[in-house]
Amino acid sequence: MIAILATGDEIIHGDTLNTNGQAIAHVLTSEGLSLGLHLSCGDNELELLACLKFLCKKHDIIILIGGLGPTSDDRTRFALGRFLNTPLIEFSEATTHIQARLDRAKLKLNVGNRQQALFPPASTLLPNPNGTAMGCYCPWQNKLFILLPGPPRECLPMFNNHILPILQQTQHTDKHLLKWRLFGVAEGAIAEV
């Protein structure tokens, strides 16, 4: 079963809608993939860690959205490292990608940008042609953690192009979802049928 964890204080405070979670859930359901919980969490690393522990009890695949940027409140990768009990390592592929993006904008690499190159050692990186934050997927004890950047123009292409093909190879549910669109009928009247 798949869980979605959207991170960011902006989501918790209601400043930003979790459109990524909605779009990904729609695709997963359309593909017949078994979707469990959706959670939202702020940028607090301990709260992120608590969410990971909770979701891992009943989910095999956890998609984490957001918190991969260059600022001090981007804690998703660090929470995952703590959960996996492994130090993050710098991936040269990510550093090269970040440097190239910054060079085009005539900006210098700083400590915040450098943290974007840190991932758990078992990670496979995902390209991001639309930003500096690369994503990744990381297997651990029969579970799969997927890290996607928060901006929709980065998150959704990364999910559709790189993660969905992987998930399509996993076990599908035999549950069928039927959607009815009715007009001019009260919901209570339908329940009686």
Side-chain angles (χ1 to χ4, degrees), residues 7 36 57-58 72 109 114 130 161 167 178 183-184:
T7 70
K57 290 177 184 174
K58 295 191 178 182
S72 61
L109 186 71
R114 200 160 207 114
N130 302 313
N161 296 330
L167 297 180
L178 301 174
F183 299 94

Side-chain angles (χ1 to χ4, degrees), residues 36-171:
L37 295 176
H38 288 237
L39 290 183
S40 297
C41 181
D43 294 313
N44 181 288
E45 191 172 325
L46 294 178
E47 290 174 8
L48 286 163
L49 186 59
C51 287
L52 287 171
K53 289 177 181 177
F54 175 74
L55 291 173
C56 272
K57 290 177 184 174
K58 295 191 178 182
H59 298 82
D60 301 316
I61 299 169
I62 300 169
I63 300 172
L64 295 100
I65 304 169
L68 302 181
T71 62
S72 61
D73 66 341
D74 289 311
R75 305 306 300 168
T76 300
R77 70 185 77 244
F78 300 102
L80 181 59
R82 276 175 96 162
F83 178 79
L84 301 177
N85 196 28
T86 184
L88 302 179
I89 62 169
E90 185 172 328
F91 279 68
S92 61
E93 173 188 352
T95 306
T96 301
H97 167 76
I98 295 162
Q99 185 66 63
R101 297 279 309 179
L102 293 173
D103 287 348
R104 276 185 268 161
K106 297 187 178 8
L107 298 170
K108 294 199 182 292
L109 186 71
N110 61 36
V111 174
N113 298 123
R114 200 160 207 114
Q115 87 176 5
Q116 292 184 283
L118 300 175
F119 294 93
S123 298
T124 299
L125 299 189
L126 302 169
N128 183 357
N130 302 313
T132 56
M134 296 183 81
C136 78
Y137 61 90
C138 181
W140 178 79
Q141 295 184 4
N142 296 321
K143 301 206 180 283
L144 183 66
F145 296 92
I146 298 164
L147 274 60
L148 300 171
R153 67 183 185 86
E154 299 177 38
C155 176
L156 298 178
M158 189 180 290
F159 173 79
N160 290 322
N161 296 330
H162 302 285
I163 295 303
L164 184 57
I166 293 168
L167 297 180
Q168 286 172 324
Q169 297 173 29
T170 64
Q171 184 176 2

Side-chain angles (χ1 to χ4, degrees), residues 174-190:
D174 58 359
K175 180 171 89 172
H176 295 287
L177 181 65
L178 301 174
K179 296 182 181 183
W180 296 56
R181 293 182 192 256
L182 302 171
F183 299 94
V185 180
E187 185 178 359
I190 298 168

